[in-house]
Amino acid sequence: MTRTIGLAPSADEIETLARAALERLPEEFAVHLQDVILLVEEFADQELLAEFGIEDPFELSGVYEGTPLHEKSIEHSGRMPDRIRLFRAPILDEWIARGDETLEHLVAHVLVHEVGHHFGLSDETMHTLENAAS
């Protein structure tokens, strides 16, 4: 087997994988994500980690920040847009540790989980959505 090993995927490459997963989502979901900002950062900041009571930054691979659709009302206008933040280093760390998952599938999994929070979905529904994005 010939295998070329290059540099670890960059934040831009992780974002490309995440955007590809977004494009594979069913239209009835995608239409409600147009205004959600997608960011890829190295790690969650200390403030976010403290908010979740997390000490090890490798324990948080993504977060949805905003108001879930089922809770939105006219009172929420004028607020900052909802966003999904994916954290590159924890995603890569999990990918390496697992060794049984493609990076594309893992990024899609983390993204779909955060999309699920945007919609207020159950874990079961998130798994169905994840299968559509894979």
Side-chain angles (χ1 to χ4, degrees), residues 83-97:
R83 64 186 186 166
I84 292 173
R85 294 165 59 197
L86 302 181
F87 304 115
R88 176 185 169 272
I91 290 171
L92 292 177
D93 187 60
E94 180 177 345
W95 178 54
I96 291 165

Side-chain angles (χ1 to χ4, degrees), residues 44-126:
D45 54 64
Q46 289 301 316
E47 182 180 329
L48 182 63
L49 293 171
E51 181 181 325
F52 284 107
I54 298 173
E55 292 184 24
D56 182 355
F58 282 98
E59 292 181 14
L60 187 61
S61 56
V63 68
Y64 166 73
E65 297 171 312
T67 305
L69 285 178
H70 69 283
E71 295 179 12
K72 288 193 182 220
S73 72
I74 192 69
E75 295 174 9
H76 292 102
S77 65
R79 290 188 180 181
M80 295 298 290
D82 295 351
R83 64 186 186 166
I84 292 173
R85 294 165 59 197
L86 302 181
F87 304 115
R88 176 185 169 272
I91 290 171
L92 292 177
D93 187 60
E94 180 177 345
W95 178 54
I96 291 165
R98 289 185 59 154
D100 65 348
E101 190 78 79
T102 66
L103 183 57
E104 292 84 357
H105 188 263
L106 183 57
V107 169
H109 171 78
V110 174
L111 175 75
V112 167
H113 185 85
E114 302 314 327
V115 165
H117 290 301
H118 176 66
F119 287 99
L121 299 178
S122 69
D123 284 340
E124 181 179 316
T125 304
M126 282 190 216

Side-chain angles (χ1 to χ4, degrees), residues 22-66:
L22 280 174
E23 290 175 13
R24 291 190 300 271
L25 293 176
E27 180 61 27
E28 60 266 23
F29 290 99
V31 70
H32 296 288
L33 293 167
Q34 294 173 356
D35 295 329
V36 177
I37 295 170
L38 174 64
L39 300 169
V40 178
E41 302 168 6
E42 198 64 19
F43 285 102
D45 54 64
Q46 289 301 316
E47 182 180 329
L48 182 63
L49 293 171
E51 181 181 325
F52 284 107
I54 298 173
E55 292 184 24
D56 182 355
F58 282 98
E59 292 181 14
L60 187 61
S61 56
V63 68
Y64 166 73
E65 297 171 312

